[in-house]
Amino acid sequence: MNLSPLAERFVLHFGEMGSRWGVNRTVGQIYAVLFIAPSPLNADDIVDALGVSRSNVSMGLKELQSWRLVRMVHQAGDRRDYFETPKDVWEIFRTLAEEKRKREIEPTLSFLRDALMDAPGDDAERHAQEKMRQMHELIDLANGWFDDIHELSPQTLESLMRMGAKVSRVLEFANQLRGVGRE
Amino acid sequence: MNLSPLAERFVLHFGEMGSRWGVNRTVGQIYAVLFIAPSPLNADDIVDALGVSRSNVSMGLKELQSWRLVRMVHQAGDRRDYFETPKDVWEIFRTLAEEKRKREIEPTLSFLRDALMDAPGDDAERHAQEKMRQMHELIDLANGWFDDIHELSPQTLESLMRMGAKVSRVLEFANQLRGVGRE
DNA sequence: TTATAGTTTCAGAAATTACTGAAAATTCAG
DNA sequence: CTGAATTTTCAGTAATTTCTGAAACTATAA
């Protein structure tokens, strides 16, 4: 691995975390190396940096592009494909949240929607379905909230985050103004 | 698999989603079967329901307990261990968020904290470190926000979610009252 | 104690996932 | 077109993860 000591530590860390984040080591490492690179890299640069096969890099880049965490760019007078990560960390944050929702939440949400349409056959099914209904309600709410958050501007989101728990006081105030919520 | 058709569909879905959520199929299925069960189950009940080995169930239960998504309970006059999922979906939501943060975010946050202490060796390292600083800043902010959210009561969190994007209007209002944020 | 019920551990087998190298496909300059 | 440069695909292999059955361990009843 042909990287400065600090860069190498970063890349190795991302490789190790990969499995917890649902990608394999190489994918984590490719992302890391692109994230800290001062300019876009081509696939062979990545092969050199990581010491993995060309085909592995090709597959990893494809996966990262499907997550929209990496995009292809071109350099004038060079046929090769170059790759970079979006530079704005807020953009990355949104993208990641959106993709995670699509892959980890949506399928279950639509499964539950389906399952709730069925007529329960007996008491056990009636109980199971009631639990599913609770789960659906919560996921649906959280999901919609993510949708809303997603539409906020980075600045608004940032102030929201910086407010932190104080938001609850603002909320209480707002609730007082308009009665007790929307129920 | 000895379950009603609806329960079986639910269990199979959780098994399939397991890998996306970072657990194996059996762990996902065990969680599902406990979630919809009307009362706590013992390990052999789970073996019967899922048709996997006793040892696999034992390991899966251990993992789910480490996630605090399943807890052990006892029945009067029965030596066997029984297991149940927390019934309150909001509690489950918090627990999951907290555990995910601990496993998926904290290690990177502390890696970055460390890496930012090093003196950069050259320009490339200086640039890499600057990118890491940006990443650290964002993760730290989001992390602290999750901390704050975590401390809200389920009711407050629920109203916050139901407000959705409207929160930004409240925020703007609050910002007007107190100048432009905290900078 | 000892016997029994219940649970966990763990080495090896089975299944799955990741990775490679070679071949195929694509792109583009000449 | 042709052919060189580049990228992608894919079958086979390597590595990793999951699962099992047997043995070890623990707790309790008699």
Side-chain angles (χ1 to χ4, degrees):
Chain A
M1 207 181 284
N2 174 26
L3 291 166
S4 77
L6 183 62
E8 176 164 330
R9 282 208 287 144
F10 183 72
V11 165
L12 292 176
H13 176 83
F14 268 59
E16 279 164 21
M17 292 303 289
S19 52
R20 301 205 191 180
W21 298 333
V23 299
N24 66 42
R25 189 178 12 164
T26 309
V27 169
Q29 291 185 348
I30 293 174
Y31 181 79
V33 91
L34 288 173
F35 181 79
I36 56 168
S39 58
L41 303 181
N42 65 46
D44 286 320
D45 294 336
I46 299 170
V47 167
D48 292 345
L50 303 182
V52 297
S53 74
R54 182 66 181 73
S55 51
N56 198 2
V57 169
S58 175
M59 293 187 296
L61 286 168
K62 226 176 95 182
E63 175 159 5
L64 284 165
Q65 285 173 281
S66 86
W67 280 87
R68 292 182 296 150
L69 287 174
V70 160
R71 56 185 168 221
M72 196 188 292
V73 293
H74 287 100
Q75 316 264 307
D78 190 336
R79 277 170 65 180
R80 288 172 297 178
D81 299 336
Y82 283 73
F83 300 89
E84 65 180 9
T85 59
K87 328 115 254 327
D88 176 13
V89 287
W90 287 95
E91 185 188 342
I92 297 172
F93 184 78
R94 279 153 179 267
T95 302
L96 206 50
E98 205 179 329
E99 290 291 332
K100 285 225 146 202
R101 186 182 53 172
K102 189 162 70 196
R103 292 157 201 244
E104 300 178 8
I105 311 298
E106 289 288 359
T108 298
L109 205 49
S110 74
F111 169 86
L112 290 170
R113 262 193 294 269
D114 267 20
L116 292 175
M117 305 285 286
D118 284 16
D122 55 20
D123 262 14
E125 289 216 333
R126 203 170 343 271
H127 179 268
Q129 211 173 35
E130 167 56 21
K131 298 290 309 201
M132 291 184 212
R133 200 197 50 68
Q134 287 172 25
M135 182 182 280
H136 177 271
E137 186 174 277
L138 177 73
I139 297 179
D140 199 36
L141 182 59
N143 197 45
W145 189 51
F146 265 63
D147 249 353
D148 294 337
I149 294 278
H150 184 257
E151 280 157 17
L152 300 179
S153 68
Q155 302 91 296
T156 308
L157 183 50
E158 186 169 347
S159 6
L160 181 60
M161 285 194 180
R162 291 203 190 279
M163 282 195 90
K166 292 193 196 65
V167 81
S168 70
R169 284 191 242 139
V170 175
L171 255 182
E172 272 155 32
F173 178 62
N175 277 343
Q176 275 171 14
L177 287 183
R178 51 158 65 199
V180 171
R182 303 156 83 206
E183 266 71 30
Chain B
M1 208 183 280
N2 173 27
L3 291 165
S4 78
L6 182 63
E8 177 163 331
R9 282 208 289 144
F10 183 72
V11 165
L12 291 176
H13 176 83
F14 268 60
E16 278 163 23
M17 292 302 289
S19 52
R20 303 205 191 181
W21 298 334
V23 298
N24 67 41
R25 187 178 14 160
T26 309
V27 169
Q29 291 185 348
I30 293 174
Y31 182 79
V33 90
L34 288 173
F35 182 80
I36 55 169
S39 58
L41 303 181
N42 64 47
D44 286 319
D45 294 336
I46 299 170
V47 167
D48 291 345
L50 303 181
V52 298
S53 73
R54 182 64 182 72
S55 52
N56 199 1
V57 168
S58 175
M59 292 187 296
L61 286 169
K62 225 176 97 182
E63 176 160 5
L64 285 166
Q65 285 173 280
S66 86
W67 280 88
R68 291 181 297 149
L69 287 173
V70 161
R71 58 187 165 218
M72 195 188 295
V73 293
H74 288 99
Q75 316 263 308
D78 190 336
R79 280 167 63 181
R80 289 172 297 177
D81 298 336
Y82 282 74
F83 300 89
E84 65 180 9
T85 60
K87 328 114 254 325
D88 177 14
V89 286
W90 287 95
E91 184 188 343
I92 297 171
F93 185 78
R94 280 153 178 265
T95 300
L96 207 49
E98 205 179 330
E99 291 291 331
K100 285 225 145 201
R101 186 182 53 173
K102 189 162 71 196
R103 292 158 202 244
E104 299 178 10
I105 310 299
E106 289 288 359
T108 297
L109 205 49
S110 73
F111 169 87
L112 290 170
R113 260 194 296 266
D114 268 20
L116 291 175
M117 304 286 286
D118 284 17
D122 56 19
D123 262 14
E125 289 216 334
R126 206 173 337 274
H127 178 269
Q129 211 173 34
E130 167 56 19
K131 300 290 309 204
M132 291 184 212
R133 201 197 49 69
Q134 287 171 26
M135 183 182 279
H136 177 272
E137 185 174 280
L138 177 73
I139 298 179
D140 200 36
L141 183 59
N143 197 44
W145 190 50
F146 265 62
D147 249 353
D148 294 339
I149 295 278
H150 183 256
E151 280 158 16
L152 300 178
S153 68
Q155 302 92 296
T156 308
L157 183 51
E158 185 168 347
S159 4
L160 182 60
M161 286 195 179
R162 290 201 190 283
M163 281 195 92
K166 291 192 199 65
V167 81
S168 70
R169 283 192 243 138
V170 175
L171 255 183
E172 271 155 35
F173 177 61
N175 278 343
Q176 275 170 14
L177 287 183
R178 51 157 65 197
V180 172
R182 301 154 85 204
E183 267 68 33

